[in-house]
């Protein structure tokens, strides 16, 4: 007993395939998800959604790497990476976003100066699709709408636009 | 029922992590951080030293070296090590309480 996670040098939380977490996840270390997380994730660390992993949550973290499925808005204070297997439905905000060829994204993408972004907790606001409900971006903000947020269309895979912002380099 | 605890298949809740809600696992779960709510596993649940669980716990074997408050149901056994502190009712066919462990609650060994 009391086996430490020696495989990784630093402490890392791992939600294995077959594990389901429902509720609020908070912490200041890296979180790796091959299972399922529903609710909210607030991390002062990196979130990795492994292939097969599903995160249905509002996510705030320093870095977010998606190779699985994410449904929900994601805010990263440093970087969001979508690998070729990534399936994302929700709005992404980060100073740097990398999208690999093959990744699928439905939602608003905000890349650039997100200095207002903090990893600190915020009051949970109900998600709304009304554009005026979003906070006004700063002037230097580079805002890109990748696919219009058409709630009825996102279920239809064939109508999904394939988003290729930047090839793997 | 064989419970092969493969280290790489273990769900780990790290020491800085708090989960407020429910965990339902097909494999073993190690808690080094904090879990509040419900914790179910088809394998073993280990509350490591420093780990805190305030939850209803259901698992094959429940081993506690940290702190646990809540009802515990184990299909195999409950084990409280010398560092463990447990408050709550235990239900298991086998119960091991080490010298130095703290425990308060009702025990039902069937």
């Amino acid at each position: 007993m009391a086996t430490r996670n020696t495989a990784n040098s630093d402490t890392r939380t791992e939600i294995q395939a077959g594990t389901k977490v429902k509720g609020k996840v908070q912490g200041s270390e890296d979180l790796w998800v091959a299972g399922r997380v529903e609710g909210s994730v607030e991390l002062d660390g990196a979130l990795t959604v492994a292939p097969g992993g599903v995160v249905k949550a509002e996510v705030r973290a320093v870095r977010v790497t998606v190779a699985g499925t994410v449904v929900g808005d994601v805010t990263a204070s440093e970087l969001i990476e979508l690998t070729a297997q990534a399936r994302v439905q929700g709005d992404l905000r980060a100073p740097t976003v990398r999208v690999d060829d093959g990744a699928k994204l439905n939602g608003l993408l905000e890349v650039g100066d997100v200095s207002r972004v903090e990893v600190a907790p915020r009051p949970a606001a109900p998600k709304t699709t009304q554009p005026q409900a979003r906070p006004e971006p700063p002037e230097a903000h580079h805002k890109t709408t990748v696919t219009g947020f058409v709630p009825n269309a996102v279920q239809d895979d064939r109508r999904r636009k394939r988003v290729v912002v930047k090839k793997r380099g | 029922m064989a419970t092969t605890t493969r280290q790489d298949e273990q769900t780990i809740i790290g020491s800085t992590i708090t989960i407020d809600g429910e965990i339902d696992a097909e494999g073993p779960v190690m808690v080094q951080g904090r879990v509040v709510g419900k914790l179910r596993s088809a394998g073993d649940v280990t509350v490591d030293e420093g780990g805190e669980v305030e939850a209803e716990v259901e698992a094959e074997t429940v081993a506690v070296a940290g702190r646990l408050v809540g009802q515990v149901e184990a299909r195999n056994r409950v084990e409280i090590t010398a560092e463990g502190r447990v408050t709550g009712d235990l239900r298991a066919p086998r119960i091991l309480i080490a010298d130095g462990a703290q425990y308060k609650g009702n025990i039902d060994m069937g």
Side-chain angles (χ1 to χ4, degrees):
Chain A
M1 85 149 307
T3 38
R4 294 277 171 189
N5 178 23
T6 47
N8 305 288
S9 55
D10 230 0
T11 164
R12 176 171 96 152
T13 288
E14 298 183 358
I15 310 295
Q16 297 288 349
T19 299
K20 233 167 36 181
V21 174
K22 243 188 217 179
K24 217 168 111 179
V25 180
Q26 256 179 317
S28 52
E29 63 187 62
D30 295 350
L31 171 63
W32 178 88
V33 180
R36 207 176 162 90
V37 174
E38 282 179 32
S40 71
V41 175
E42 256 168 43
L43 280 186
D44 189 8
L47 168 69
T48 304
V49 184
V54 176
V55 173
K56 283 191 176 179
E58 300 284 311
V59 175
R60 292 173 82 81
V62 177
R63 288 179 310 283
V64 177
T65 303
V66 183
T69 303
V70 172
V71 179
D73 295 349
V74 178
T75 306
S77 56
E78 280 181 12
L79 169 72
I80 296 174
E81 280 179 299
L82 307 187
T83 72
Q85 312 101 292
R87 299 291 178 267
V88 178
Q89 191 176 320
D91 299 352
L92 305 184
R93 288 179 182 82
T96 308
V97 175
R98 209 192 78 205
V99 181
D100 285 351
D101 192 0
K104 279 185 181 165
L105 167 64
N106 278 284
L108 182 80
L109 180 59
E110 285 188 45
V111 186
D113 177 19
V114 274
S115 48
R116 68 199 159 87
V117 170
E118 283 165 23
V119 180
R122 54 165 181 181
K127 195 186 165 181
T128 166
T129 50
Q130 294 189 330
Q132 62 264 38
R134 296 190 187 287
E136 282 301 313
E139 278 177 39
H141 206 78
H142 180 215
K143 183 168 151 185
T144 318
T145 303
V146 173
T147 59
F149 204 63
V150 192
N152 295 330
V154 292
Q155 300 305 326
D156 187 342
D157 213 45
R158 285 168 304 175
R159 277 196 276 168
R160 264 188 208 174
K161 282 187 191 166
R162 188 151 135 171
V163 180
V164 181
V165 172
K166 191 178 156 193
K167 296 208 176 191
R168 190 191 282 275
Chain B
M1 194 181 291
T3 50
T4 42
T5 311
R6 278 203 291 157
Q7 178 73 19
D8 55 340
E9 295 287 316
Q10 189 177 45
T11 287
I12 302 166
I13 312 301
S15 57
T16 75
I17 293 286
T18 299
I19 294 179
D20 193 340
E22 269 178 52
I23 299 175
D24 202 334
E26 286 170 16
V29 178
M30 160 76 77
V31 181
Q32 295 166 343
R34 192 175 149 84
V35 173
V36 180
K38 266 188 190 174
L39 174 51
R40 265 194 308 261
S41 170
D44 299 344
V45 166
T46 305
V47 183
D48 208 349
E49 259 180 87
E52 280 184 38
V53 172
E54 281 176 40
E56 240 175 79
V57 180
E58 195 191 309
E60 187 67 22
T61 291
V62 178
V64 185
R67 201 172 70 89
L68 190 154
V69 178
Q71 248 177 304
V72 177
E73 191 176 335
R75 290 178 293 276
N76 182 9
R77 68 173 196 277
V78 174
E79 199 181 318
I80 309 174
T81 70
E83 309 81 34
R85 285 177 294 154
V86 177
T87 306
D89 298 349
L90 306 184
R91 198 184 152 95
R94 292 198 287 153
I95 289 172
L96 289 81
I97 299 180
D99 190 5
Q102 289 177 30
Y103 174 70
K104 189 178 176 183
N106 289 311
I107 288 181
D108 178 357
M109 295 177 75

